[in-house]
Amino acid sequence: MANLLRPATWGLFSWRGYCSRGTQGRLSAGFVEALKAIVGSPHVSTAAVVREQHGHDESMHMCQPPDAVVWPQNVEQVSQLAALCYGQGVPIIPFGTGSGLEGGVCAVQGGVCVNLIRMDRILELNPEDFSVVVEPGVTRKALNTHLRDCGLWFPVDPGADASLCGMAATGASGTNSVRYGTMRDNVLNLEVVLPGGRQLHTAGRGRRFWKSAAGYNLTGLFVGSEGTLGLITAATLRLHPVPEATVAATCAFPTVQAAVDSTVHILQAAVPVARIEFLDEVMMDACNRHSKLNCYVAPTLFLEFHGSEQALAEQVQRTEEVIRHNGGSHFSWAKEAEERSRLWAARHSAWYASLALWPGCKGYSTDVCVPISRLSEILVQTKEDLEAWRLTGSASLPRAPGAGRGGAGAAALSFGPPGTVVGHVGDGNFHCILLVDPEDPEELLRAQAFAEQLGRSGRSGRRGGAAGRGARGEGAPAERPFRLPPRRALALHGTCTGEHGIGLGKRQLLLEEVGVVGMETMRQLKATLDPRGLMNPGKVL
């Protein structure tokens, strides 16, 4: 199984010849004409540049373009497209905004990419029931703009302005999940076009109840299915009241341990924090540069509180006590909407802030999540390993004027290109964003060794040959035991992916996480719904 995974993993680093296929020529002229008959000629493209745009997401996975791209305008067209493709044995790849990070849109077997972004209507709003029905082209920001005058909002916030049905397909979460839950907690019903073209309403047509004990949880089956079981053409979502008052804050810590301890203590004190985000010193420096902040460069927490004015005062007081007890300092409170927006815009731009540290680099993000009691352990160990493997550094970068004041942590690192750590630590989820210079052979060898570890036992950091020497460098420990974050997370009873999904690169880790029986059960479900294996093939299983 590990050997089967390795080609997909190595595809992360196929820098030259980024698109793996040129002119496809796999679809007959008659088939393309049949696509046009369903959606209209202007809504079908076989142009190479369009196919390449739809053959990759934000990840480092190699571009693998589809044979054609179509843009349906309604669910009936999606059903007809699914029936046509399935009947002719042509793979079907759903596409939203392309903001994923696990290669979920790569057309590994060619086929037809169904871009749902033009189905962008808000079909039904029920304020009294706190629910809304949206088509797959509606994005998170568009929905909240529409809801602005009714006192409700949709809080699941992965950072990117992703499509809401795409967020359901990947089981997304984000900065607010510690208070409001993930997509799994906020999807009430789904309209799904199954591979043969049939339409399924997972909770029954038009139903929007908050709880039910009726039959199997079909909605839960499709949330997180990553387009491998069907095409989501509408989602009924749970809405929440806009809080009366909101306040945000940042505070710096002397160590990663102190920041994470504060997170755990805040949660144990039953403070209903709405957001609590961790940025290591390298990421804080990157955000200062990219978003023109002036935060102290050290391990940092970004926090936000929602509630009444009286409740916020109590929450802030208790939080300050916990933070000061753990050595926190450099408090900065943001009460005005403009200040808060600037702060969270910087946090949501962390991916691009990381990439900007090293122009021309490529980024790779891990996505582990562990029980909150093990968070400090894995974060501290991961930081040590990143430094030992020379996959992090900030002191080597030129400091931009006004980019922030230095802390003790900022001067400790001296290698490049840098890697950063950021996380939704309130629910145990964090990301290592590794930056790889595509023109640096030594850096590529380090990245290769890192990627190869995803398919190995991860028990030992010692490696022979050029890859091992390049991965370590002269200053790294030769015998140090090394276990990458995904496998370390599994060893700590966590998961290899908290919110990005399995996609192409984590299939072996999924097997290790759920076990043989779990994988067999998933394959049986897949075979029942998609017996020909044409729905987004090569992903998850």
Side-chain angles (χ1 to χ4, degrees):
M1 181 62 75
N3 289 332
L4 292 175
L5 175 68
R6 203 163 293 143
T9 304
W10 181 238
L12 291 168
F13 304 102
S14 297
W15 303 105
R16 291 172 177 79
Y18 181 59
C19 278
S20 61
R21 295 189 295 272
T23 302
Q24 302 288 297
R26 295 185 179 183
L27 301 181
S28 68
F31 185 86
V32 174
E33 288 303 313
L35 294 175
K36 292 179 180 178
I38 295 173
V39 299
S41 294
H43 307 299
V44 178
S45 178
T46 57
V49 64
V50 175
R51 293 190 292 104
E52 290 175 8
Q53 289 172 348
H54 289 78
H56 65 92
D57 53 16
E58 295 278 359
S59 72
M60 287 174 58
H61 287 284
M62 180 173 58
C63 174
Q64 300 183 77
D67 300 304
V69 181
V70 297
W71 289 267
Q73 275 84 69
N74 55 59
V75 65
E76 287 74 22
Q77 290 182 356
V78 176
S79 292
Q80 293 176 51
L81 289 168
L84 173 65
C85 291
Y86 214 73
Q88 297 297 314
V90 176
I92 304 166
I93 303 95
F95 192 98
T97 59
S99 58
L101 291 169
E102 294 297 340
V105 301
C106 296
V108 297
Q109 296 179 17
V112 173
C113 173
V114 181
N115 188 325
L116 299 162
I117 202 66
R118 294 179 185 173
M119 294 173 60
D120 59 357
R121 295 178 299 164
I122 296 174
L123 298 174
E124 186 179 343
L125 174 62
N126 301 285
E128 297 85 358
D129 293 327
F130 298 90
S131 71
V132 66
V133 183
V134 299
E135 288 189 322
V138 178
T139 65
R140 174 181 62 84
K141 290 182 180 179
L143 175 60
N144 280 326
T145 298
H146 182 82
L147 297 172
R148 186 177 297 162
D149 296 329
C150 67
L152 299 173
W153 72 312
F154 186 72
V156 182
D157 180 2
D161 189 22
S163 63
L164 291 159
C165 289
M167 289 165 58
T170 57
S173 56
T175 57
N176 287 306
S177 61
V178 65
R179 174 76 175 267
Y180 298 99
T182 71
M183 287 301 290
R184 292 189 184 276
D185 305 299
N186 288 280
V187 176
L188 304 177
N189 198 353
L190 293 172
E191 177 186 77
V192 181
V193 172
L194 298 175
R198 294 180 300 159
Q199 295 178 28
L200 167 69
H201 295 266
T202 58
R205 185 183 294 272
R207 305 200 184 280
R208 52 181 185 268
F209 43 71
W210 282 18
K211 69 177 186 177
S212 170
Y216 299 127
N217 185 357
L218 296 180
T219 304
L221 175 62
F222 283 89
V223 174
S225 61
E226 302 186 41
T228 63
L229 302 179
L231 298 108
I232 299 175
T233 52
T236 303
L237 306 175
R238 180 177 180 176
L239 302 177
H240 297 259
V242 173
E244 174 188 327
T246 302
V247 63
T250 64
C251 54
F253 292 86
T255 64
V256 171
Q257 182 80 52
V260 178
D261 286 347
S262 290
T263 300
V264 175
H265 295 160
I266 289 169
L267 297 175
Q268 289 175 338
V271 178
V273 61
R275 308 192 209 197
I276 183 162
E277 299 285 299
F278 170 79
L279 294 80
D280 75 350
E281 66 281 358
V282 188
M283 179 61 86
M284 192 66 257
D285 193 21
C287 288
N288 278 342
R289 297 167 185 271
H290 184 74
S291 299
K292 305 299 186 290
L293 299 181
N294 192 34
C295 294
Y296 190 77
V297 178
T300 300
L301 289 181
F302 282 26
L303 305 101
E304 188 167 277
F305 306 91
H306 297 169
S308 65
E309 294 286 357
Q310 181 179 354
L312 286 189
E314 182 181 349
Q315 293 175 36
V316 167
Q317 179 183 354
R318 294 171 68 187
T319 300
E320 277 194 348
E321 291 172 357
V322 170
I323 289 173
R324 293 192 187 281
H325 176 75
N326 286 287
S329 61
H330 297 85
F331 283 91
S332 177
W333 295 99
K335 297 182 179 180
E336 300 300 323
E338 185 176 348
E339 293 179 81
R340 298 197 311 271
S341 295
R342 182 167 174 261
L343 186 67
W344 290 111
R347 166 60 187 90
H348 289 324
S349 298
W351 171 261
Y352 302 104
S354 296
L355 296 182
L357 284 175
W358 203 275
C361 72
K362 298 292 183 179
Y364 173 73
S365 176
T366 67
D367 178 40
V368 301
C369 184
V370 297
I372 195 73
S373 63
R374 312 305 294 270
L375 182 60
S376 60
E377 177 182 349
I378 190 172
L379 259 177
V380 171
Q381 290 175 349
T382 299
K383 283 284 292 179
E384 292 174 355
D385 286 330
L386 286 173
E387 294 170 21
W389 271 54
R390 299 178 64 188
L391 287 169
T392 186
S394 63
S396 61
L397 299 171
R399 181 171 294 278
R405 297 154 290 179
L413 308 176
S414 58
F415 303 110
T420 57
V421 178
V422 62
H424 319 301
V425 288
D427 52 22
N429 184 203
F430 74 94
H431 314 292
C432 303
I433 302 176
L434 307 176
L435 304 185
V436 180
D437 180 356
E439 304 302 325
D440 183 340
E442 183 182 351
E443 187 64 22
L444 285 174
L445 287 172
R446 288 199 294 273
Q448 177 184 355
F450 191 93
E452 286 179 350
Q453 284 284 350
L454 292 176
R456 294 176 182 263
S457 66
R459 292 178 181 173
S460 173
R462 186 178 184 182
R463 301 186 49 82
R469 291 189 297 272
R472 285 293 174 189
E474 295 301 322
E479 303 286 343
R480 179 191 176 94
F482 182 80
R483 177 173 269 174
L484 284 178
R487 280 199 167 79
R488 178 178 293 127
L490 297 182
L492 297 177
H493 310 293
T495 176
C496 65
T497 176
E499 57 186 5
H500 295 168
I502 296 296
L504 285 172
K506 296 190 175 112
R507 290 172 291 175
Q508 172 64 19
L509 291 167
L510 178 62
L511 171 61
E512 295 180 25
E513 182 168 327
V514 303
V516 172
V517 175
M519 288 294 287
E520 288 177 352
T521 304
M522 292 185 190
R523 290 194 178 99
Q524 289 168 355
L525 289 167
K526 167 77 169 174
T528 299
L529 293 170
D530 180 19
R532 303 189 69 178
L534 296 176
M535 278 304 310
N536 207 10
K539 318 298 165 45
V540 184
L541 303 177

